[in-house]
Amino acid sequence: METKFISRDGYKKIEHVSGKKAKAGQIGFCKKTVRFVKRLFAQINSDINAAKSRKQHAHSEPKRNFIKKKAVITAMACTVAIILSCATVASALDFSAPAKAAQAETEPQAISEPAPLLLAESAPENYNEVSSNYIENPDIFMELGYSALTVDGELIGVTNQGSELEELLENYLAQARKDYDETTTTEFANSVEVTPATASSAQTLSAEELFAAAEGKLSVSLFTDWSYEVDMEYETNVTYDETKDNSYTEVTKEGENGKIVVNLKLNYVDGNLVDSVVTDTKVTKEPVAEEVTKGSKQGEQEYSLSGEASGSSTGGFIWPFPHTHNITSLMEWRWGRMHNGIDIAGGDDYGQPIIAADSGVVTFSGNDGGGYGNYVMIDHGNGYMTVYGHASELACSTGQYVNQGDTIAYAGSTGNSTGPHLHFEIRLNGEYQDPLNYVS
C-alpha cells in the first residue's frame, strides 16, 4: 500500500479555512491545532529527508527497516487526520456561540406578561407608589381579601375577612327592623363604607373586632309605613223658624262623624322620629250632617256647637304664643315635603300658654295619633280655620266656643317634634295659608 502525504499547499489551505472561522485577534482551539500540525509535518518531512539520505548511503540495509519506517509514517498520517477532524468540529462549535450571541442581539425579544401583583403579609407603607395597580385596579386587593372600614371618612381598621364584615353590618341593619313588618327598610344614616385596601399585619383585625370598634359610631335610619284613623267632622245644617223664639233649638237629625285612614311614611334615626310624610288618605266612612231647627222670631243669631250664643269671629288674627315671637321654621319645603305652618320657639317654652288667634268653635281638641301630637283645631266661621300643634296639655274641649285670646293649650313636644314649640297653621277653605301674611 502506497502512503500519501499532505503537501505544504495543503497546510496553507487548512490554515486559510481555519483562519476565516476564527475571530480576528483571537487564537482559538482551531488555530492552535493547525500550528501543532504544521510543526508535526515539518518534523515528519525532516525525518523523511534524513531517511532518504541514509538510503542512498546504505543500500545494504535490510528491507524490514524500510517497512517499519513506512508503518510509522502511516500511523502518523492517520493521527494527523484525526486531529484535523477534531479541529474542524471545534472550529464549528467555536463559531456557533458568537453567532448565536449576535443573533440574540438582533432578534426582537418576546415580552413576557408581568407577574400578578401579590400582597405581602406586611405591605410597604408606600404601596400606592410601589403598586400602581392599586389605583388602576383596586379590586385586586379585595380579591386578596383585604377590606377597609370607614365611618364618616374615618378609618376604623382593616380586615382580611371582608365578607364576614359585610354580613355583620347587614345583620346590624336587620336587627334594627326586626320588630317591624316586611315593608320596613333600614340603611345607615351616616357614611359607612367597606372598600379594598392593604395594611400591615399589625393593623389587620378580625371582622368581629373591626365591627366592635365601629359599632358605637354607626347610625341607622329606619323607614316604615304607619296608618291611623281620624274622625271626619260632620257638618251642621241650621234651619230657622220665624214662628219660634230665639231660645228655641231642636236637633232634628243627629250628626255622625266620618272616618279617614291616613297612611304615613315615618323616618326614625337611631330610634328618634325625625320625619313623617302623608303618602295617602282614604275616606272609609262618610260623615252624616246634623240637622238643627232654631227659632228666629227676634232675628237670626249665630249658632255654636255648644248651643250657646256668643261673640263672632273678629276677622283678624293675633299672635298665638305670647311667650315668644321667635320663629324657628317657616312655611316652606322641609325634609322632602311641605311644612304647612310656622314653628315658634324661644327657649323655656314648655308649659307656656297658647291662645286662640281668633274667636270660633273648637272642632277638635285631642291626640289622634298623628304628627301633631296634642292639638287644637278652631273653626272661625268665615272659611278660616287655625291649628295649634304639639301641646303638652289641652285647655279646651271639642265643641267649645272660645274667644280670641283665650288660653286653649300649653306648649309641649308631643307628636313629631324634636323639642318644645308651637306649630301654628291658618287654612282658608281648606287651603294652607302662610301665617306670616296674617300675624307678625
Side-chain angles (χ1 to χ4, degrees):
M1 182 177 67
E2 184 178 355
T3 302
K4 295 184 178 180
F5 297 94
I6 298 175
S7 66
R8 291 181 180 275
D9 292 336
Y11 305 150
K12 292 180 181 179
K13 187 173 183 181
I14 291 172
E15 185 177 13
H16 175 69
V17 172
S18 300
K20 286 178 67 179
K21 291 182 178 180
K23 285 186 176 181
Q26 180 180 352
I27 299 177
F29 177 79
C30 182
K31 182 174 290 187
K32 292 178 180 179
T33 305
V34 170
R35 289 182 179 179
F36 170 76
V37 172
K38 287 173 67 178
R39 289 195 297 270
L40 179 61
F41 275 93
Q43 183 62 41
I44 292 171
N45 255 348
S46 176
D47 291 342
I48 291 172
N49 290 334
K52 285 181 179 181
S53 176
R54 286 194 300 271
K55 183 177 180 181
Q56 291 175 359
H57 294 89
H59 294 286
S60 61
E61 188 176 355
K63 186 176 182 180
R64 64 184 178 195
N65 290 337
F66 175 77
I67 294 173
K68 182 178 179 180
K69 290 179 181 179
K70 188 174 182 180
V72 171
I73 293 171
T74 301
M76 293 178 65
C78 289
T79 301
V80 170
I82 293 171
I83 292 172
L84 287 175
S85 297
C86 293
T88 303
V89 172
S91 176
L93 292 174
D94 194 29
F95 171 75
S96 63
K100 287 182 179 179
Q103 183 179 6
E105 292 177 359
T106 56
E107 287 185 359
Q109 299 297 311
I111 300 175
S112 60
E113 291 294 329
L117 179 63
L118 297 178
L119 183 65
E121 182 177 351
S122 179
E125 293 181 359
N126 62 337
Y127 64 88
N128 279 339
E129 300 174 8
V130 174
S131 170
S132 61
N133 281 343
Y134 176 74
I135 297 174
E136 297 172 1
N137 184 22
D139 290 341
I140 190 169
F141 294 100
M142 185 66 86
E143 292 171 3
L144 292 170
Y146 284 81
S147 304
L149 174 62
T150 57
V151 177
D152 293 330
E154 176 189 353
L155 176 63
I156 305 301
V158 175
T159 181
N160 58 0
Q161 298 174 336
S163 298
E164 292 86 344
L165 175 61
E166 291 182 349
E167 185 176 352
L168 288 170
L169 293 171
E170 180 55 39
N171 289 341
Y172 188 74
L173 293 175
Q175 184 68 18
R177 60 178 182 267
K178 68 180 181 64
D179 295 329
Y180 294 82
D181 61 22
E182 64 279 359
T183 65
T184 301
T185 60
T186 50
E187 62 185 36
F188 287 112
N190 54 344
S191 175
V192 178
E193 295 182 304
V194 178
T195 55
T198 61
S200 66
S201 58
Q203 295 173 308
T204 304
L205 303 173
S206 69
E208 291 79 4
E209 291 171 335
L210 188 52
F211 175 77
E215 189 171 3
K217 303 176 184 293
L218 303 177
S219 181
V220 176
S221 183
L222 180 144
F223 298 89
T224 188
D225 295 327
W226 188 62
S227 299
Y228 66 95
E229 188 176 65
V230 296
D231 289 335
M232 185 177 182
E233 297 287 337
Y234 61 82
E235 295 180 351
T236 300
N237 299 324
V238 180
T239 302
Y240 291 95
D241 186 348
E242 295 180 354
T243 65
K244 306 287 185 184
D245 290 336
N246 289 356
S247 60
Y248 176 81
T249 300
E250 181 184 3
V251 177
T252 58
K253 184 179 180 180
E254 294 288 344
E256 293 181 13
N257 287 334
K259 297 293 182 181
I260 301 176
V261 173
V262 181
N263 297 314
L264 300 173
K265 176 70 76 173
L266 304 180
N267 179 202
Y268 293 87
V269 174
D270 298 333
N272 298 313
L273 182 64
V274 297
D275 193 19
S276 65
V277 178
V278 176
T279 58
D280 183 40
T281 59
K282 183 179 181 180
V283 176
T284 57
K285 179 185 176 181
E286 293 289 346
V288 176
E290 180 185 56
E291 301 293 339
V292 176
T293 300
K294 182 170 178 57
S296 60
K297 184 179 289 188
Q298 289 80 31
E300 296 181 4
Q301 293 184 356
E302 184 176 344
Y303 172 77
S304 70
L305 291 179
S306 64
E308 299 176 358
S310 182
S312 62
S313 169
T314 66
F317 298 97
I318 63 174
W319 190 255
F321 197 36
H323 171 67
T324 180
H325 282 241
N326 185 60
I327 299 172
T328 57
S329 185
L330 299 172
M331 183 176 174
E332 59 188 357
W333 282 97
R334 186 182 71 174
W335 302 335
R337 64 185 179 91
M338 189 64 180
H339 182 236
N340 291 315
I342 60 173
D343 290 344
I344 308 169
D348 297 326
D349 303 302
Y350 190 89
Q352 295 294 335
I354 299 169
I355 64 175
D358 196 7
S359 301
V361 177
V362 177
T363 58
F364 183 84
S365 177
N367 190 331
D368 55 20
Y372 290 116
N374 297 325
Y375 73 99
V376 174
M377 181 179 291
I378 301 176
D379 184 351
H380 301 286
N382 50 10
Y384 284 99
M385 297 186 70
T386 52
V387 177
Y388 312 77
H390 309 303
S392 60
E393 295 182 49
L394 301 171
C396 62
S397 57
T398 302
Q400 179 182 344
Y401 190 92
V402 294
N403 291 304
Q404 187 181 61
D406 287 350
T407 297
I408 57 174
Y410 299 92
S413 186
T414 55
N416 295 345
S417 173
T418 57
H421 71 286
L422 168 64
H423 173 82
F424 177 60
E425 296 178 4
I426 295 179
R427 305 176 189 177
L428 176 60
N429 297 321
E431 298 292 331
Y432 294 98
Q433 306 295 310
D434 187 348
L436 293 182
N437 292 333
Y438 298 85
V439 295
S440 61

